Amino acid sequence: MRTPLIAGNWKMNTTVDEALELVRAMKDELEKIAEVEKVVCPPFVSLAPVKELLSGSAIKLGAQNLFFAEKGAYTGEISPLMVADLCEYVIIGHSERRQYFHETGDVVNKKIVAALQADIIPIMCIGESLEENEREKTKSVVSEQVRAALAGVKSVSGLVIAYEPVWAIGTGKSATGEQAGETIAFIRHNIADLYGEGTAREMRILYGGSVSSANAAEFMQQPEIDGALVGGASLKAGEFINIVSQASAIKSRK
Ligand code: 13P
């Protein structure tokens, strides 16, 4: 059985005070919801204070990025060792990083390797663009992204994949549960080809892209979808709690 996971990617939102306020607003309700792993990923500057606020809590902390070198002259970057001190998870290869910060498959691969070495669980993001989707290239694109990101990686135990079609991110236009379920099943086949059936069966693969309380159930009902990476809706305490609670209700029925 794969434990469902709902992660909130806050992106470049919230000051430290706002981050603490948001966590305070959802902490107690989230604590009450069983059988779902809950992760919040605030901006770097809020990780330490949020960690303190979450001490003793079951809510886990994730970073939104890291750099692959351990330390040194890389002005403005954050190393895996720094993240490992604070976080259990790290989002890697988000399409916004690929698009705005020119992260290639090779860079994503180095970051995955560095995160795993530092014992941080990567939430590895993949997904096709609108144009690729329209040209029916989804499968070849996600296959290639998986292969590039995991090149040379021997064990992916614990690693999480988030399938986030680029056209669904921040657009209010989500994939259907069925579309997402089908692509995620295909991603799992790719993992089986690379790492064997057992690893594929254990790997959690999330959907991301305009997930809200209004459509969360549609995704959670898909047996192949193990949770969600939530952007905009994770910045509203009530929305995030609602999504986590739907995941718990639906997944614990199965
Ligand atoms: P939205 O939920 O705002 O579409 O963002 C999805 C996302 O990019 C999560 O990483």
Side-chain angles (χ1 to χ4, degrees), residues 5 10 25 33 43 77 97 112 114 121 126 131 140 143 161 182 186 209 219-220 222 234:
L5 168 62
W10 295 8
I33 308 170
E77 292 297 322
R97 299 224 45 97
I112 294 281
I121 301 172
I126 57 173
E131 194 222 329
S140 59
S143 250
I161 293 181
E182 194 187 307
F186 173 77
F219 298 108
M220 295 311 118
Q222 293 285 326
S234 71

Side-chain angles (χ1 to χ4, degrees), residues 14-188:
T14 69
T15 60
V16 174
D17 282 348
E18 287 164 349
L20 291 170
E21 201 178 311
L22 183 53
V23 172
R24 272 188 214 108
M26 48 194 190
K27 193 169 163 279
D28 292 350
E29 287 305 312
L30 287 181
E31 295 288 1
K32 292 183 199 153
I33 308 170
E35 297 176 69
V36 176
E37 210 175 331
K38 298 142 272 208
V39 180
V40 291
C41 306
F44 282 126
V45 290
S46 296
L47 289 175
V50 168
K51 182 185 163 76
E52 204 179 312
L53 182 58
L54 287 179
S55 93
S57 155
I59 303 164
K60 294 174 178 168
L61 200 52
Q64 297 175 18
N65 182 29
L66 47 66
F67 188 57
F68 47 78
E70 255 184 37
K71 60 176 172 179
Y74 301 101
T75 302
E77 292 297 322
I78 303 286
S79 90
L81 295 180
M82 299 168 191
V83 172
D85 253 3
L86 301 166
C87 298
E88 245 174 86
Y89 286 89
V90 62
I91 297 169
I92 292 185
H94 193 281
S95 67
E96 286 149 16
R97 299 224 45 97
R98 295 179 194 253
Q99 185 182 346
Y100 304 130
F101 305 98
H102 315 295
E103 280 191 15
T104 58
D106 179 49
V107 169
V108 171
N109 174 243
K110 288 191 169 116
K111 292 185 172 189
I112 294 281
V113 170
L116 289 170
Q117 244 165 24
D119 274 333
I120 314 164
I121 301 172
I123 301 178
M124 181 179 109
C125 300
I126 57 173
E128 82 286 2
S129 67
L130 179 60
E131 194 222 329
E132 288 159 344
N133 183 276
E134 283 170 349
R135 284 167 46 220
E136 298 185 8
K137 295 274 183 226
T138 299
K139 287 187 174 162
S140 59
V141 169
V142 295
S143 250
E144 176 46 35
Q145 286 174 333
V146 165
R147 266 159 233 275
L150 297 179
V153 176
K154 295 217 166 52
S155 165
V156 288
S157 160
L159 180 131
V160 175
I161 293 181
Y163 167 59
E164 301 204 306
V166 178
W167 48 271
I169 295 177
T171 58
K173 183 178 177 244
S174 62
T176 64
E178 210 172 307
Q179 278 172 335
E182 194 187 307
T183 305
I184 285 174
F186 173 77
I187 294 166
R188 204 179 295 289

Side-chain angles (χ1 to χ4, degrees), residues 9 11 94 96 164 168-170 209-211 229-232:
N9 174 10
K11 307 192 181 182
H94 193 281
E96 286 149 16
E164 301 204 306
I169 295 177
S210 296
V211 174
L229 182 55
V230 184

